[in-house]
Amino acid sequence: SSFSIRADNQTQVFETPAVDQFLVETDHFADCVRGRSSIALDPLRDAVPNALAIDSIRLAAASGCRVEISQPG
């Protein structure tokens, strides 16, 4: 599978192997619970930016305007 990112009028395409992302995530979670692995992402550093992005998407959809995302702290 592939995905693309567009920034500064340039598009970059990334090719990745197809995987079942939910199976990979569940396996990693099980390994963490069993003490075989550590958490891949800091939940606070990962969750807060995701929540800000989701909130901004909601606000942009409601207003029809572009919404800037500000990082806390």
Side-chain angles (χ1 to χ4, degrees):
S1 68
S2 66
F3 65 95
S4 59
I5 296 176
R6 183 164 174 78
D8 299 325
N9 293 322
Q10 294 181 345
T11 302
Q12 193 170 7
V13 177
F14 297 87
E15 297 291 331
T16 61
V19 297
D20 180 340
Q21 66 187 16
F22 299 108
L23 179 61
V24 171
E25 186 175 349
T26 304
D27 284 347
H28 176 68
F29 175 75
D31 286 342
C32 289
V33 170
R34 293 180 179 132
R36 296 183 198 159
S37 185
S38 59
I39 297 172
L41 299 171
D42 177 344
L44 293 178
R45 287 184 56 205
D46 184 53
V48 171
N50 283 336
L52 289 171
I54 291 167
D55 229 16
S56 296
I57 291 167
R58 183 186 56 78
L59 291 170
S63 69
C65 299
R66 182 178 179 170
V67 175
E68 295 291 327
I69 300 174
S70 301
Q71 290 292 332

